[in-house]
Amino acid sequence: MKKTLFAMAAIVGLTVTACSSDDSNSIKNDSTFELKVDDLQGDIKDGIVTLDPSKTYTLTGGLVVKSGATLVIPAGTIIKTSPTALETSLYIAVERNAKININGTAAKPVVMTSGKASPAESNWGGLIICGNAKVNTGDNGTSEVGGLSYGGTDNLDSSGNITFLKIMYTGSKFTAEKEYNGISFFGVGSGTEVSNIYAFESGDDGIEFFGGAVNPSNLVIINSYDDSLDFADGWQGTATNVYIKGITKAGVEGSNNQKNPADALPMTAGKIVNISIVKGDDKFKADEKAINYKEGGGKQTYTNLFVAADMPIALCKLSTDAGVVANLAAGNFIITNYTFGAQITTLDGPKLSGTTTAATGAGAGASLPSWADWTK
């Protein structure tokens, strides 16, 4: 996603959808917030709001979990967006000091998707989570979308948990420079548990980390129309088991800081363990290669990397800014144990070590790994 800050107009003046207690289409929770299944929107200001997994909800506007409140989404819950609402007005956001608990299972994942008859990328915004962890753009930043505050000094901060989530047809656009991701993590701490996410058909990045220290695992990112996995602004996490297919720009884009690439601290120190990168069908060009190392780059370590034979010739796209040059010279871009497809012939940039032909990537090379069978 582009690094342009803006406050989303839709988040201003949100109204809570209220209903009488005898309305069979409403659910009253441990909160002053009342919601309707067919009109899910507004501010959850306090308490715990738990959705009903037997219902299919219609997201009709922005749903914001305010500081101090918790949204619980049980296994099997389905949220579909309104097919007639403005696409950029449809999103779910979690403020700093709020929590979201997405409690899906392999048999009953939580589903967030388009409600259009013929769904496509950019049909709605996506999921935005803000936390109190360290970022190198300052301790009190404003999220790229939503205008929410994020960042701080607590890398152990928890914004709740996400497990077994299918999030599809996200990434709606204000302009070419103002777009949502599938999921955006802004300063999210390592106390937030994130595992088993399927991000499908995002109009921008599939999943992006802006600083923070969250450690996600078991990520499947399919058909993203910018970068698939993106991290920046001092992210200190480890992503384990990542399967990427359908790449428009970069499979992974990693950077330190857009405005101060050489000196911003804490320096990005992202680790990716067990990753497969597959270009996908002919409409995907992977213009920025398997890995785009840019804007200072920071420290990036890839272990057990599988790049499929359908990728373009160069393995990496490398910026030439002073931070990138210095970090490459310092050996801060490292790939250990890897298999590159026959098309990968240009290996300039990363420090390569370990075995060169036995990497399984996410688990099965170019094929979907068995741990991701739940996404089928």
Side-chain angles (χ1 to χ4, degrees):
M1 183 180 280
K2 318 301 182 296
K3 305 298 188 287
T4 302
L5 297 179
F6 67 98
M8 186 166 57
I11 204 168
V12 178
L14 278 172
T15 58
V16 173
T17 301
C19 53
S20 63
S21 59
D22 60 353
D23 188 337
S24 62
N25 218 17
S26 70
I27 298 173
K28 188 70 172 70
N29 298 273
D30 178 24
S31 170
T32 57
F33 182 86
E34 288 186 85
L35 55 84
K36 286 186 176 181
V37 170
D38 59 358
D39 190 12
L40 183 63
Q41 63 170 312
D43 290 348
I44 301 174
K45 296 181 179 180
D46 55 40
I48 300 172
V49 170
T50 302
L51 301 188
D52 182 347
S54 70
K55 309 292 186 182
T56 295
Y57 292 83
T58 300
L59 186 71
T60 55
L63 178 65
V64 182
V65 189
K66 304 292 285 184
S67 176
T70 299
L71 173 62
V72 179
I73 307 180
T77 305
I78 298 173
I79 300 172
K80 291 187 176 182
T81 60
S82 166
T84 58
L86 181 67
E87 292 170 340
T88 51
S89 74
L90 301 169
Y91 60 93
I92 298 172
V94 181
E95 286 190 347
R96 190 165 53 182
N97 300 314
K99 285 184 169 59
I100 187 167
N101 295 328
I102 298 175
N103 299 325
T105 66
K108 295 182 177 181
V110 169
V111 176
M112 299 178 180
T113 190
S114 168
K116 291 183 183 275
S118 299
E121 78 278 2
S122 303
N123 278 174
W124 67 291
L127 177 60
I128 304 159
I129 303 176
C130 297
N132 292 292
K134 191 73 175 176
V135 297
N136 66 22
T137 53
D139 293 346
N140 193 31
T142 302
S143 66
E144 185 178 358
V145 288
L148 304 176
S149 297
Y150 72 96
T153 59
D154 184 7
N155 273 3
L156 301 179
D157 184 42
S158 175
S159 298
N161 64 268
I162 302 173
T163 183
F164 290 103
L165 169 65
K166 289 185 175 182
I167 184 164
M168 301 181 285
Y169 306 110
T170 55
S172 59
K173 300 173 174 60
F174 289 88
T175 70
E177 298 298 317
K178 298 179 181 180
E179 305 165 314
Y180 292 87
N181 298 308
I183 307 180
S184 300
F185 293 89
F186 289 93
V188 175
S190 63
T192 309
E193 299 179 12
V194 178
S195 65
N196 294 289
I197 293 175
Y198 175 63
F200 179 70
E201 289 280 333
S202 172
D204 198 57
D205 299 340
I207 299 174
E208 183 162 7
F209 301 95
F210 298 84
V214 64
N215 300 303
S217 62
N218 294 7
L219 308 178
V220 178
I221 307 172
I222 306 294
N223 296 0
S224 298
Y225 292 87
D226 191 11
D227 306 309
S228 298
L229 178 68
D230 197 336
F231 56 87
D233 299 345
W235 180 57
Q236 305 291 303
T238 299
T240 305
N241 299 338
V242 181
Y243 182 81
I244 291 169
K245 185 175 182 179
I247 302 167
T248 300
K249 291 189 177 178
V252 179
E253 180 172 281
S255 56
N256 187 45
N257 182 289
Q258 182 187 32
K259 295 183 178 179
N260 186 20
D263 300 323
L265 297 174
M267 182 184 290
T268 291
K271 298 179 181 179
I272 314 294
V273 180
N274 305 333
I275 175 170
S276 293
I277 299 177
V278 184
K279 182 179 72 66
D281 66 39
D282 288 344
K283 73 176 180 178
F284 296 104
K285 304 302 181 185
D287 293 334
E288 295 178 349
K289 318 307 178 188
I291 301 170
N292 185 6
Y293 186 83
K294 60 181 289 191
E295 294 168 352
K299 298 178 181 178
Q300 297 185 31
T301 303
Y302 298 81
T303 304
N304 190 17
L305 167 66
F306 180 94
V307 180
D310 66 351
M311 285 296 295
I313 291 175
L315 170 66
C316 303
K317 181 179 179 183
L318 303 173
S319 296
T320 57
D321 63 79
V324 163
V325 172
N327 280 311
L328 289 174
N332 285 334
F333 183 16
I334 301 168
I335 298 175
T336 305
N337 298 342
Y338 52 89
T339 295
F340 302 144
Q343 298 293 322
I344 308 288
T345 58
T346 302
L347 305 178
D348 295 339
K351 179 181 178 182
L352 303 172
S353 64
T355 60
T356 61
T357 59
T360 58
S367 299
L368 189 73
S370 61
W371 56 259
D373 283 348
W374 70 275
T375 66
K376 296 178 179 178

